[in-house]
């Protein structure tokens, strides 16, 4: 689960950086909408991924598994909006 969370953090940071670069290059509402959609999609993907651990043969009787999944999902749910707010704060003229 730690690897999934690390991958989520890396992906969201990468998408944030790409979004900011794209908004600087093309500071339009259309670009902002596209970049917001991309970040929202990756956030939801990484919120959904931890629960798929139940699809692989693991000892699901361990009571800590569900808490670990919930914790990873909560971390991504917190991180995604931080990146989305940064994109929203990027001015339509490219200024912050």
């Amino acid at each position: 689960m730690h690897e999934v969370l690390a991958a989520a953090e890396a992906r969201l940071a990468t998408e944030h950086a790409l979004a900011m670069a794209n908004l600087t290059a093309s500071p339009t509402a259309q670009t902002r909408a596209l970049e917001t959609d991309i970040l929202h999609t990756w956030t939801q993907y990484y919120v959904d991924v931890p629960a798929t651990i139940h699809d692989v043969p693991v000892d699901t009787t361990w009571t800590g598994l569900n808490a670990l999944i919930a914790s990873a999902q909560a971390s991504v749910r917190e991180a995604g909006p931080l990146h989305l707010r940064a994109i929203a704060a990027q001015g339509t003229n490219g200024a912050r």
Side-chain angles (χ1 to χ4, degrees):
M1 203 56 60
H2 298 290
E3 292 86 358
V4 171
L5 189 53
E9 291 168 353
R11 171 56 65 183
L12 293 177
T14 297
E15 294 302 334
H16 176 174
L18 291 170
M20 298 305 270
N22 286 341
L23 281 166
T24 299
S26 178
T28 66
Q30 184 178 8
T31 301
R32 181 186 323 285
L34 173 65
E35 296 302 335
T36 298
D37 185 51
I38 290 168
L39 256 169
H40 183 269
T41 299
W42 277 111
T43 299
Q44 190 58 51
Y45 173 81
Y46 278 107
V47 165
D48 294 341
V49 164
T52 65
I53 193 74
H54 293 294
D55 296 342
V56 295
V58 296
D59 181 7
T60 57
T61 62
W62 176 55
T63 58
L65 182 61
N66 288 333
L68 189 61
I69 291 168
S71 176
Q73 290 173 319
S75 293
V76 175
R77 281 189 186 109
E78 291 173 13
L82 294 176
H83 294 290
L84 290 167
R85 281 194 292 276
I87 289 174
Q90 181 80 1
T92 55
N93 64 356
R96 285 186 155 183

